[in-house]
Amino acid sequence: SLVRRSFGCLAQEPAPQHIRSMIFRQIVLSLAVLQCASAFVTNSNCYKFETTSALSASTADVGVPSTMGGDDSSVDVDFEAYSKGYKTVFTEVPAAECTALPGGKIPSDLKGTYYRAGPAMFSAGSIAPPKTSIIQPRDGPPIPDGQNPKRMVQHPFDADGGVLGVTFQGNGETATARYRYVRTVAMTNERRKGQRLYRAMDPTRELGSNIGEGIGNDLHTPLFRHHLLPGLNKFRKNTSNTRTVFWGKRLLSMWEGGQPFKLDGLALSTEGRSQLGGILKEEDPMGAKMVIDPVKNHALLYGVKQDARSSEVTVYEFNDSFRLIEQQDGKTSQSFPGFAMISDMAATENYSLFVQPQVSTAMQFLVVKDPGKVLTVEKAPSTLHLVPRIGSGKEAKSISIPFDGVVEAEMQLINAYEDGDSIILDAIRMDGTKKSSSTKGTEWPFATTREEYVNTAAKRSLWRYTVDLRSNSVSKEMLTDTQCFFGVVNPNQSTLPHGPIYMAIGAKGSEVSPPQGVARFDPVTKTMDSWMPEGYEFCGEPMFAPKENAASEDDGYILTVLFNGKTEQSEMVILQSTDISAGPVARLPLG
């Protein structure tokens, strides 16, 4: 994630001089092309981007500017290049000094640390134990991807997670980058043996891309993310690959269905699985989303305990020291009917919001825990749950969302806010119904052609949901049909009315295509300002860094990681948030 912190906190410290000159290589992972996601923390207790002067640097435009969105026939998507992003990172990086390419300059008012997590180890055991270790891998040292199919994951989301950190010094000259894997228990076990030991999700992945209304095994963000056997066990592998969050001077790596792992903010070393100071029990799962309330300076997390007849959702609310607030012991729980497939949350001043699709369970659910075999996503209205926040005095509401033939499931909830007797929710909705009838399971390298991609990745579009609190009804409107991913707003507007939405977009308008360019979408005028790189380059999730003395809500910088499939190298791309189509003001080679 792109997180901000205050002066004197750990990530503001430069790396030691003796390791800053190391070459930063092998960041050719899924950071630019996969389902990496993260929060952008804004409160004063966190990593903070301090902006002290106006940007004066510029660089020549690279790529294709556009103010219309839509189909840009000048960009021919290179799917072979795209697939190169699904490669294992075999070398970790303690630290490396990065400078901008000629013609660009790092903004001197950009100061802080960018963090991002994502799947990165597609071949199990690809980081060898130390040579001094008594136990050496049974299947030998790490080998190139694909050389031993038994070591390859069946879906990108099942790969072990790695974390990238890029610290901007505020000198307009250099940035310090580092990259480390999250040392989960499962990753450590596979590392020691040089084998893929956790295969519980394989039966689900082998069912192909059409299960779960076409999104159960979606290439980027599958609805079926983990084995259904609850608690700590060998079937539910916590890959810690979904999101990084920073709050109360703690950096966590998150994964849906398991507990977070605590990381060192400077070295990115893993300090161990976190029960958040004893708040969580050993068997308690956590969601992978944190919502920041910049007004109250609070952070919200959630966890879901799933069962066939009913599920329990618990929302935790923390103060700026990452301790539960005193009122109601800092948490509230609510039962949802049936098996709750919840993977995201939004929040307003008074409510936490969850979208629950209707899911039925097969009779063998009691003994079989493969999600693809025992869960069915029904073609029926989903439910929007409004869970009252602590101290709000509001009543819980569960409101049906009108069904238009596409199930509201595995949505990305961008932001929500209250407007009188209404709640506005902006979200990216997935539609998996347009895939072919192929039942072929995914396998590495996952998508080397357009045909393979459109049969494994869902259509995505941006929608606005309006909740009428008086009539307990929901209406919805599609804001743009452009293929879009990873929507974000200015973090200072989280839980509040927001303006522009920033997102990664495909190069072919409404057609199904991978995340490639960056766009600024105005939900009021419904206009889009975008930048598209070359056909072999792919941008990931955009992060918004607001300026300290911003002239407007959208006055800041957009940061994203770009993967070049020809050179198999990555860059940090910085754009001016008010003028996306002008292209990057700086591009920093990462390796």
Side-chain angles (χ1 to χ4, degrees), residues 75-353:
V75 176
D76 187 14
V77 182
D78 187 338
F79 285 92
E80 181 70 26
Y82 170 77
S83 70
K84 298 292 180 63
Y86 296 95
K87 283 192 174 182
T88 294
V89 180
F90 290 93
T91 305
E92 295 178 296
V93 182
E97 187 174 79
C98 305
T99 57
L101 291 172
K105 190 176 187 301
I106 300 173
S108 59
D109 55 350
L110 189 59
K111 187 176 182 180
T113 299
Y114 172 105
Y115 289 113
R116 191 167 189 174
M121 189 180 292
F122 304 99
S123 178
S126 291
I127 296 293
K131 294 181 179 179
T132 56
S133 175
I134 297 176
I135 302 176
Q136 290 299 313
R138 183 181 304 172
D139 281 9
I143 57 177
D145 289 332
Q147 185 169 312
N148 183 352
K150 293 182 179 180
R151 292 175 70 161
M152 303 303 297
V153 297
Q154 298 298 301
H155 189 282
F157 203 82
D158 300 334
D160 291 303
V163 175
L164 171 70
V166 181
T167 296
F168 295 90
Q169 315 293 342
N171 58 15
E173 300 292 335
T174 63
T176 302
R178 55 266 191 215
Y179 183 81
R180 296 290 300 276
Y181 277 105
V182 183
R183 262 59 172 184
T184 65
V185 175
M187 181 269 194
T188 301
N189 288 340
E190 292 183 331
R191 180 188 185 193
R192 287 173 178 169
K193 295 191 176 183
Q195 298 175 325
R196 183 165 175 249
L197 305 175
Y198 301 86
R199 300 174 177 272
M201 285 299 293
D202 287 4
T204 292
R205 303 307 184 204
E206 291 167 358
L207 294 175
S209 59
N210 287 315
I211 63 171
E213 282 297 289
I215 59 177
N217 279 334
D218 179 73
L219 182 65
H220 296 281
T221 50
L223 178 64
F224 300 148
R225 298 193 174 189
H226 56 75
H227 195 264
L228 302 182
L229 187 66
L232 294 173
N233 57 76
K234 64 180 180 180
F235 296 99
R236 185 177 288 207
K237 181 186 180 183
N238 185 340
T239 54
S240 201
N241 65 5
T242 309
R243 188 185 304 268
T244 51
V245 299
F246 189 92
W247 188 254
K249 301 182 180 180
R250 294 190 203 177
L251 176 64
L252 301 176
S253 179
M254 313 291 288
W255 177 77
E256 189 75 39
Q259 293 183 352
F261 278 77
K262 186 178 179 181
L263 309 178
D264 181 275
L266 179 61
L268 300 185
S269 54
T270 304
E271 298 181 359
R273 184 168 53 86
S274 175
Q275 294 177 246
L276 303 180
I279 293 172
L280 303 177
K281 298 178 182 179
E282 284 279 342
E283 67 276 7
D284 287 346
M286 287 293 293
K289 175 70 171 287
M290 174 182 279
V291 176
I292 306 299
D293 182 340
V295 177
K296 296 181 180 179
N297 204 16
H298 286 178
L300 288 80
L301 290 171
Y302 74 94
V304 184
K305 292 183 178 180
Q306 300 166 317
D307 205 353
R309 294 186 177 181
S310 67
S311 303
E312 184 181 66
V313 174
T314 301
V315 180
Y316 305 86
E317 190 155 343
F318 298 90
N319 61 22
D320 58 4
S321 297
F322 217 143
R323 298 189 180 278
L324 291 174
I325 63 176
E326 295 183 0
Q327 195 172 1
Q328 293 181 217
D329 294 326
K331 55 186 177 181
T332 180
S333 297
Q334 184 170 320
S335 293
F336 290 2
F339 195 93
M341 298 293 292
I342 302 292
S343 57
D344 206 347
M345 170 181 67
T348 68
E349 177 186 359
N350 293 299
Y351 296 98
S352 298
L353 284 67

Side-chain angles (χ1 to χ4, degrees), residues 44-58:
S44 59
N45 78 101
C46 301
Y47 291 152
K48 181 179 181 181
F49 270 97
E50 299 177 348
T51 51
T52 56
S53 61
L55 176 70
S56 58
S58 62

Side-chain angles (χ1 to χ4, degrees), residues 358 380-385 398-403 472-475:
Q358 289 192 38
S382 297
T383 301
L384 176 63
H385 296 287
S398 295
I399 306 172
S400 179
I401 301 175
F403 183 61
N472 291 331
S473 62
V474 177
S475 60

